Amino acid sequence: MTGTAERIRTSRRGPFLVVAAALFVLLLDGNLPTPLYSVYRERFGFSGTELTLIFAVYMAVLVPSLIVFGQLSDQIGRKRVLLGGLGLGAVGLILLAAAQNTAWLFAGRIAAGIALGATAGTAAAALVELEPEDDRGKAALATVLAQSGGSAAGPLVAGVVAGWAPAPRQLPYGVGLVLTVVTAIAVSRLPREPVGGRWRPQRPSVPPEIRADFARASLSAATVWATGGLFLSVVPSYTAQLLHTHNLALLGTVAAMMLAAACAVQAVSVRAQLSPRRAQPAGLLSLVVGLAALVSAFPAKSLALVVVAAVFAGAGLGLTYFGSQAEINHLAPSGRRGELTAAFLTCVYLGVAATAISTGLLSDAYSLPTAIAVVSAVAGGTALLALGWQLKRR
């Protein structure tokens, strides 16, 4: 029995790592444009609202893709959906690399959004099924590390390559394309899993007995990722105004720093065996501190406060998202894991889209610092509300 168990763990380890890598690469691809938005804005001459709409259209197509493909992967298999997502992700990178005007950016972001929507819930469900020791906590850690790590690596890679290498509007996407193709080849070699049933598009639903826990975890995760979206969409431009700089490597690093802090905290929380119920309130409190530092940075003209904001907000995202994803993994019935994970991620990305769009509209009507202050205040208030709900159940 021990030998059989060891063989099962060994047979799962490779596929587990490949699926985690696929999720990481697609998040990296989706966030490569982050430090380049200011370059596009100067070259193509679009407004702050258009900037956030380019970011938000990614979410606008991602959400319905989650709804459609989360349930689809339960029926036709995770491998097929992952390959389709990686293929479409490659198309998005090619469109962005070839961009001649704003319409190309919208097309590239639409392709990237559908690609991630197809794979995010699918990969999260596959990681639960493939975790070598059937440990849903470790599967949650792999999911959030892949998402946070890929989101951090995207702006960092693009900022460094665009800042110090030739062809700044093409080469970052070339790097992403190579990684995507290599990952797709690895996914294509995964064993084909048994599937069954006919697929019909349907609205994801949450079983009545877990709806309260699902809503609490989803609200917490949506709040912290709304702040993550702020760092990935407009905080680089905010930092550029604050420091009067166009250094793409620096602007990419600011966005990456927040998500790197999230990854570090997630790894530490697993080593410390922090439970999801403790991780989420601690993360929400840290997020509030980070938002306060972000708002204070502009009047103080302080890069140090931006760094403090990134670290505390990143820690908040890491703790809260790890806790909420682990809770969803435990709540999800095995036959509906892809569907329930897709519903959870739909809530998360709706929060990101709402933040990005409202920030763009406010920045055009008033100023970017004012928009950041208003949106941060709303996000902070929502975080405190979620914190109270988390503490109430203890």
Side-chain angles (χ1 to χ4, degrees), residues 92-121:
L93 292 172
I94 292 169
L95 288 169
L96 290 169
Q100 300 298 312
N101 53 46
T102 308
W104 287 71
L105 300 181
F106 276 104
R109 297 302 283 163
I110 287 170
I114 297 173
L116 183 59
T119 54

PDB file of all heavy atoms in Angstrom, residues 92-121:
ATOM      1  N   GLY A  92      -3.048  36.737 -28.223  1.00  0.00           N
ATOM      2  CA  GLY A  92      -3.091  38.042 -27.568  1.00  0.00           C
ATOM      3  C   GLY A  92      -1.730  38.715 -27.531  1.00  0.00           C
ATOM      4  O   GLY A  92      -1.607  39.926 -27.764  1.00  0.00           O
ATOM      5  N   LEU A  93      -0.681  37.946 -27.250  1.00  0.00           N
ATOM      6  CA  LEU A  93       0.676  38.501 -27.212  1.00  0.00           C
ATOM      7  C   LEU A  93       1.107  39.014 -28.589  1.00  0.00           C
ATOM      8  O   LEU A  93       1.734  40.076 -28.705  1.00  0.00           O
ATOM      9  CB  LEU A  93       1.657  37.434 -26.727  1.00  0.00           C
ATOM     10  CG  LEU A  93       1.522  36.999 -25.270  1.00  0.00           C
ATOM     11  CD1 LEU A  93       2.426  35.809 -24.989  1.00  0.00           C
ATOM     12  CD2 LEU A  93       1.848  38.141 -24.315  1.00  0.00           C
ATOM     13  N   ILE A  94       0.768  38.282 -29.622  1.00  0.00           N
ATOM     14  CA  ILE A  94       1.125  38.696 -30.990  1.00  0.00           C
ATOM     15  C   ILE A  94       0.420  40.007 -31.348  1.00  0.00           C
ATOM     16  O   ILE A  94       1.021  40.915 -31.932  1.00  0.00           O
ATOM     17  CB  ILE A  94       0.780  37.582 -31.990  1.00  0.00           C
ATOM     18  CG1 ILE A  94       1.691  36.367 -31.758  1.00  0.00           C
ATOM     19  CG2 ILE A  94       0.909  38.078 -33.428  1.00  0.00           C
ATOM     20  CD1 ILE A  94       1.272  35.117 -32.502  1.00  0.00           C
ATOM     21  N   LEU A  95      -0.853  40.124 -30.974  1.00  0.00           N
ATOM     22  CA  LEU A  95      -1.595  41.351 -31.261  1.00  0.00           C
ATOM     23  C   LEU A  95      -0.987  42.556 -30.535  1.00  0.00           C
ATOM     24  O   LEU A  95      -0.867  43.642 -31.107  1.00  0.00           O
ATOM     25  CB  LEU A  95      -3.064  41.178 -30.849  1.00  0.00           C
ATOM     26  CG  LEU A  95      -3.898  40.254 -31.727  1.00  0.00           C
ATOM     27  CD1 LEU A  95      -5.248  39.964 -31.059  1.00  0.00           C
ATOM     28  CD2 LEU A  95      -4.122  40.893 -33.102  1.00  0.00           C
ATOM     29  N   LEU A  96      -0.603  42.372 -29.282  1.00  0.00           N
ATOM     30  CA  LEU A  96      -0.003  43.471 -28.526  1.00  0.00           C
ATOM     31  C   LEU A  96       1.364  43.857 -29.079  1.00  0.00           C
ATOM     32  O   LEU A  96       1.707  45.042 -29.153  1.00  0.00           O
ATOM     33  CB  LEU A  96       0.106  43.083 -27.049  1.00  0.00           C
ATOM     34  CG  LEU A  96      -1.222  42.986 -26.294  1.00  0.00           C
ATOM     35  CD1 LEU A  96      -1.010  42.332 -24.925  1.00  0.00           C
ATOM     36  CD2 LEU A  96      -1.868  44.353 -26.116  1.00  0.00           C
ATOM     37  N   ALA A  97       2.136  42.867 -29.479  1.00  0.00           N
ATOM     38  CA  ALA A  97       3.460  43.151 -30.042  1.00  0.00           C
ATOM     39  C   ALA A  97       3.354  43.911 -31.360  1.00  0.00           C
ATOM     40  O   ALA A  97       4.227  44.730 -31.689  1.00  0.00           O
ATOM     41  CB  ALA A  97       4.230  41.848 -30.249  1.00  0.00           C
ATOM     42  N   ALA A  98       2.281  43.652 -32.103  1.00  0.00           N
ATOM     43  CA  ALA A  98       2.110  44.287 -33.418  1.00  0.00           C
ATOM     44  C   ALA A  98       1.276  45.558 -33.361  1.00  0.00           C
ATOM     45  O   ALA A  98       0.986  46.158 -34.407  1.00  0.00           O
ATOM     46  CB  ALA A  98       1.453  43.287 -34.375  1.00  0.00           C
ATOM     47  N   ALA A  99       0.885  46.019 -32.169  1.00  0.00           N
ATOM     48  CA  ALA A  99      -0.069  47.123 -32.005  1.00  0.00           C
ATOM     49  C   ALA A  99       0.362  48.381 -32.754  1.00  0.00           C
ATOM     50  O   ALA A  99       1.483  48.866 -32.583  1.00  0.00           O
ATOM     51  CB  ALA A  99      -0.254  47.433 -30.525  1.00  0.00           C
ATOM     52  N   GLN A 100      -0.564  48.897 -33.580  1.00  0.00           N
ATOM     53  CA  GLN A 100      -0.338  50.131 -34.325  1.00  0.00           C
ATOM     54  C   GLN A 100      -1.215  51.275 -33.829  1.00  0.00           C
ATOM     55  O   GLN A 100      -0.963  52.436 -34.150  1.00  0.00           O
ATOM     56  CB  GLN A 100      -0.613  49.899 -35.818  1.00  0.00           C
ATOM     57  CG  GLN A 100       0.264  48.838 -36.453  1.00  0.00           C
ATOM     58  CD  GLN A 100       1.741  49.209 -36.412  1.00  0.00           C
ATOM     59  OE1 GLN A 100       2.112  50.325 -36.771  1.00  0.00           O
ATOM     60  NE2 GLN A 100       2.587  48.276 -35.974  1.00  0.00           N
ATOM     61  N   ASN A 101      -2.250  50.939 -33.068  1.00  0.00           N
ATOM     62  CA  ASN A 101      -3.139  51.957 -32.509  1.00  0.00           C
ATOM     63  C   ASN A 101      -3.889  51.340 -31.328  1.00  0.00           C
ATOM     64  O   ASN A 101      -3.675  50.165 -30.982  1.00  0.00           O
ATOM     65  CB  ASN A 101      -4.113  52.501 -33.569  1.00  0.00           C
ATOM     66  CG  ASN A 101      -4.886  51.391 -34.270  1.00  0.00           C
ATOM     67  OD1 ASN A 101      -5.406  50.478 -33.630  1.00  0.00           O
ATOM     68  ND2 ASN A 101      -4.939  51.452 -35.594  1.00  0.00           N
ATOM     69  N   THR A 102      -4.789  52.132 -30.737  1.00  0.00           N
ATOM     70  CA  THR A 102      -5.486  51.682 -29.530  1.00  0.00           C
ATOM     71  C   THR A 102      -6.341  50.446 -29.783  1.00  0.00           C
ATOM     72  O   THR A 102      -6.484  49.591 -28.904  1.00  0.00           O
ATOM     73  CB  THR A 102      -6.368  52.821 -28.978  1.00  0.00           C
ATOM     74  OG1 THR A 102      -5.563  53.995 -28.845  1.00  0.00           O
ATOM     75  CG2 THR A 102      -6.957  52.467 -27.628  1.00  0.00           C
ATOM     76  N   ALA A 103      -6.926  50.321 -30.986  1.00  0.00           N
ATOM     77  CA  ALA A 103      -7.780  49.176 -31.294  1.00  0.00           C
ATOM     78  C   ALA A 103      -7.017  47.860 -31.161  1.00  0.00           C
ATOM     79  O   ALA A 103      -7.573  46.848 -30.711  1.00  0.00           O
ATOM     80  CB  ALA A 103      -8.350  49.313 -32.705  1.00  0.00           C
ATOM     81  N   TRP A 104      -5.734  47.862 -31.539  1.00  0.00           N
ATOM     82  CA  TRP A 104      -4.921  46.654 -31.395  1.00  0.00           C
ATOM     83  C   TRP A 104      -4.769  46.281 -29.923  1.00  0.00           C
ATOM     84  O   TRP A 104      -4.765  45.092 -29.578  1.00  0.00           O
ATOM     85  CB  TRP A 104      -3.543  46.880 -32.011  1.00  0.00           C
ATOM     86  CG  TRP A 104      -3.511  46.908 -33.506  1.00  0.00           C
ATOM     87  CD1 TRP A 104      -3.999  47.900 -34.304  1.00  0.00           C
ATOM     88  CD2 TRP A 104      -2.952  45.932 -34.383  1.00  0.00           C
ATOM     89  NE1 TRP A 104      -3.782  47.599 -35.624  1.00  0.00           N
ATOM     90  CE2 TRP A 104      -3.132  46.400 -35.701  1.00  0.00           C
ATOM     91  CE3 TRP A 104      -2.297  44.715 -34.183  1.00  0.00           C
ATOM     92  CZ2 TRP A 104      -2.692  45.682 -36.819  1.00  0.00           C
ATOM     93  CZ3 TRP A 104      -1.853  43.998 -35.288  1.00  0.00           C
ATOM     94  CH2 TRP A 104      -2.060  44.476 -36.581  1.00  0.00           C
ATOM     95  N   LEU A 105      -4.625  47.288 -29.070  1.00  0.00           N
ATOM     96  CA  LEU A 105      -4.495  47.012 -27.636  1.00  0.00           C
ATOM     97  C   LEU A 105      -5.760  46.365 -27.094  1.00  0.00           C
ATOM     98  O   LEU A 105      -5.697  45.413 -26.311  1.00  0.00           O
ATOM     99  CB  LEU A 105      -4.198  48.301 -26.874  1.00  0.00           C
ATOM    100  CG  LEU A 105      -2.915  49.055 -27.259  1.00  0.00           C
ATOM    101  CD1 LEU A 105      -2.759  50.299 -26.386  1.00  0.00           C
ATOM    102  CD2 LEU A 105      -1.688  48.160 -27.122  1.00  0.00           C
ATOM    103  N   PHE A 106      -6.917  46.894 -27.507  1.00  0.00           N
ATOM    104  CA  PHE A 106      -8.178  46.293 -27.066  1.00  0.00           C
ATOM    105  C   PHE A 106      -8.279  44.849 -27.543  1.00  0.00           C
ATOM    106  O   PHE A 106      -8.678  43.955 -26.776  1.00  0.00           O
ATOM    107  CB  PHE A 106      -9.372  47.106 -27.587  1.00  0.00           C
ATOM    108  CG  PHE A 106      -9.727  48.282 -26.729  1.00  0.00           C
ATOM    109  CD1 PHE A 106      -9.401  49.566 -27.107  1.00  0.00           C
ATOM    110  CD2 PHE A 106     -10.400  48.109 -25.525  1.00  0.00           C
ATOM    111  CE1 PHE A 106      -9.734  50.661 -26.318  1.00  0.00           C
ATOM    112  CE2 PHE A 106     -10.739  49.191 -24.727  1.00  0.00           C
ATOM    113  CZ  PHE A 106     -10.405  50.477 -25.120  1.00  0.00           C
ATOM    114  N   ALA A 107      -7.919  44.598 -28.792  1.00  0.00           N
ATOM    115  CA  ALA A 107      -8.007  43.233 -29.327  1.00  0.00           C
ATOM    116  C   ALA A 107      -7.082  42.286 -28.574  1.00  0.00           C
ATOM    117  O   ALA A 107      -7.465  41.153 -28.231  1.00  0.00           O
ATOM    118  CB  ALA A 107      -7.658  43.245 -30.818  1.00  0.00           C
ATOM    119  N   GLY A 108      -5.863  42.736 -28.305  1.00  0.00           N
ATOM    120  CA  GLY A 108      -4.915  41.896 -27.572  1.00  0.00           C
ATOM    121  C   GLY A 108      -5.373  41.597 -26.162  1.00  0.00           C
ATOM    122  O   GLY A 108      -5.238  40.466 -25.667  1.00  0.00           O
ATOM    123  N   ARG A 109      -5.944  42.607 -25.494  1.00  0.00           N
ATOM    124  CA  ARG A 109      -6.425  42.400 -24.124  1.00  0.00           C
ATOM    125  C   ARG A 109      -7.662  41.509 -24.090  1.00  0.00           C
ATOM    126  O   ARG A 109      -7.858  40.741 -23.142  1.00  0.00           O
ATOM    127  CB  ARG A 109      -6.713  43.751 -23.465  1.00  0.00           C
ATOM    128  CG  ARG A 109      -5.498  44.643 -23.305  1.00  0.00           C
ATOM    129  CD  ARG A 109      -4.411  43.972 -22.484  1.00  0.00           C
ATOM    130  NE  ARG A 109      -4.731  43.999 -21.070  1.00  0.00           N
ATOM    131  CZ  ARG A 109      -4.166  43.234 -20.150  1.00  0.00           C
ATOM    132  NH1 ARG A 109      -3.255  42.351 -20.505  1.00  0.00           N
ATOM    133  NH2 ARG A 109      -4.500  43.333 -18.886  1.00  0.00           N
ATOM    134  N   ILE A 110      -8.504  41.595 -25.099  1.00  0.00           N
ATOM    135  CA  ILE A 110      -9.670  40.706 -25.165  1.00  0.00           C
ATOM    136  C   ILE A 110      -9.221  39.252 -25.290  1.00  0.00           C
ATOM    137  O   ILE A 110      -9.722  38.360 -24.591  1.00  0.00           O
ATOM    138  CB  ILE A 110     -10.588  41.106 -26.339  1.00  0.00           C
ATOM    139  CG1 ILE A 110     -11.332  42.414 -26.003  1.00  0.00           C
ATOM    140  CG2 ILE A 110     -11.597  39.994 -26.654  1.00  0.00           C
ATOM    141  CD1 ILE A 110     -12.065  43.016 -27.175  1.00  0.00           C
ATOM    142  N   ALA A 111      -8.251  39.003 -26.178  1.00  0.00           N
ATOM    143  CA  ALA A 111      -7.741  37.638 -26.341  1.00  0.00           C
ATOM    144  C   ALA A 111      -7.120  37.135 -25.039  1.00  0.00           C
ATOM    145  O   ALA A 111      -7.342  35.986 -24.620  1.00  0.00           O
ATOM    146  CB  ALA A 111      -6.714  37.594 -27.474  1.00  0.00           C
ATOM    147  N   ALA A 112      -6.353  38.007 -24.366  1.00  0.00           N
ATOM    148  CA  ALA A 112      -5.709  37.606 -23.107  1.00  0.00           C
ATOM    149  C   ALA A 112      -6.739  37.330 -22.021  1.00  0.00           C
ATOM    150  O   ALA A 112      -6.584  36.402 -21.213  1.00  0.00           O
ATOM    151  CB  ALA A 112      -4.740  38.700 -22.653  1.00  0.00           C
ATOM    152  N   GLY A 113      -7.795  38.137 -21.977  1.00  0.00           N
ATOM    153  CA  GLY A 113      -8.835  37.942 -20.964  1.00  0.00           C
ATOM    154  C   GLY A 113      -9.577  36.630 -21.143  1.00  0.00           C
ATOM    155  O   GLY A 113      -9.844  35.909 -20.172  1.00  0.00           O
ATOM    156  N   ILE A 114      -9.914  36.301 -22.381  1.00  0.00           N
ATOM    157  CA  ILE A 114     -10.587  35.024 -22.641  1.00  0.00           C
ATOM    158  C   ILE A 114      -9.657  33.862 -22.303  1.00  0.00           C
ATOM    159  O   ILE A 114     -10.087  32.847 -21.731  1.00  0.00           O
ATOM    160  CB  ILE A 114     -11.056  34.938 -24.104  1.00  0.00           C
ATOM    161  CG1 ILE A 114     -12.101  36.018 -24.386  1.00  0.00           C
ATOM    162  CG2 ILE A 114     -11.645  33.562 -24.405  1.00  0.00           C
ATOM    163  CD1 ILE A 114     -12.491  36.120 -25.854  1.00  0.00           C
ATOM    164  N   ALA A 115      -8.379  34.014 -22.635  1.00  0.00           N
ATOM    165  CA  ALA A 115      -7.403  32.957 -22.349  1.00  0.00           C
ATOM    166  C   ALA A 115      -7.319  32.673 -20.857  1.00  0.00           C
ATOM    167  O   ALA A 115      -7.357  31.515 -20.423  1.00  0.00           O
ATOM    168  CB  ALA A 115      -6.035  33.349 -22.898  1.00  0.00           C
ATOM    169  N   LEU A 116      -7.207  33.734 -20.052  1.00  0.00           N
ATOM    170  CA  LEU A 116      -7.115  33.523 -18.610  1.00  0.00           C
ATOM    171  C   LEU A 116      -8.440  33.026 -18.043  1.00  0.00           C
ATOM    172  O   LEU A 116      -8.459  32.163 -17.159  1.00  0.00           O
ATOM    173  CB  LEU A 116      -6.699  34.815 -17.901  1.00  0.00           C
ATOM    174  CG  LEU A 116      -6.510  34.693 -16.392  1.00  0.00           C
ATOM    175  CD1 LEU A 116      -5.443  33.645 -16.054  1.00  0.00           C
ATOM    176  CD2 LEU A 116      -6.147  36.034 -15.769  1.00  0.00           C
ATOM    177  N   GLY A 117      -9.555  33.553 -18.551  1.00  0.00           N
ATOM    178  CA  GLY A 117     -10.855  33.083 -18.083  1.00  0.00           C
ATOM    179  C   GLY A 117     -11.050  31.600 -18.327  1.00  0.00           C
ATOM    180  O   GLY A 117     -11.633  30.884 -17.503  1.00  0.00           O
ATOM    181  N   ALA A 118     -10.532  31.127 -19.460  1.00  0.00           N
ATOM    182  CA  ALA A 118     -10.657  29.704 -19.781  1.00  0.00           C
ATOM    183  C   ALA A 118      -9.835  28.835 -18.854  1.00  0.00           C
ATOM    184  O   ALA A 118     -10.200  27.690 -18.562  1.00  0.00           O
ATOM    185  CB  ALA A 118     -10.241  29.464 -21.237  1.00  0.00           C
ATOM    186  N   THR A 119      -8.715  29.373 -18.374  1.00  0.00           N
ATOM    187  CA  THR A 119      -7.765  28.521 -17.658  1.00  0.00           C
ATOM    188  C   THR A 119      -7.724  28.725 -16.147  1.00  0.00           C
ATOM    189  O   THR A 119      -7.286  27.828 -15.430  1.00  0.00           O
ATOM    190  CB  THR A 119      -6.338  28.747 -18.198  1.00  0.00           C
ATOM    191  OG1 THR A 119      -6.025  30.143 -18.133  1.00  0.00           O
ATOM    192  CG2 THR A 119      -6.215  28.289 -19.630  1.00  0.00           C
ATOM    193  N   ALA A 120      -8.142  29.881 -15.637  1.00  0.00           N
ATOM    194  CA  ALA A 120      -7.951  30.166 -14.208  1.00  0.00           C
ATOM    195  C   ALA A 120      -8.699  29.173 -13.323  1.00  0.00           C
ATOM    196  O   ALA A 120      -8.109  28.531 -12.439  1.00  0.00           O
ATOM    197  CB  ALA A 120      -8.389  31.597 -13.898  1.00  0.00           C
ATOM    198  N   GLY A 121      -9.994  29.032 -13.544  1.00  0.00           N
ATOM    199  CA  GLY A 121     -10.761  28.077 -12.750  1.00  0.00           C
ATOM    200  C   GLY A 121     -10.380  26.643 -13.051  1.00  0.00           C
ATOM    201  O   GLY A 121     -10.326  25.788 -12.159  1.00  0.00           O
TER     202      GLY A 121
END
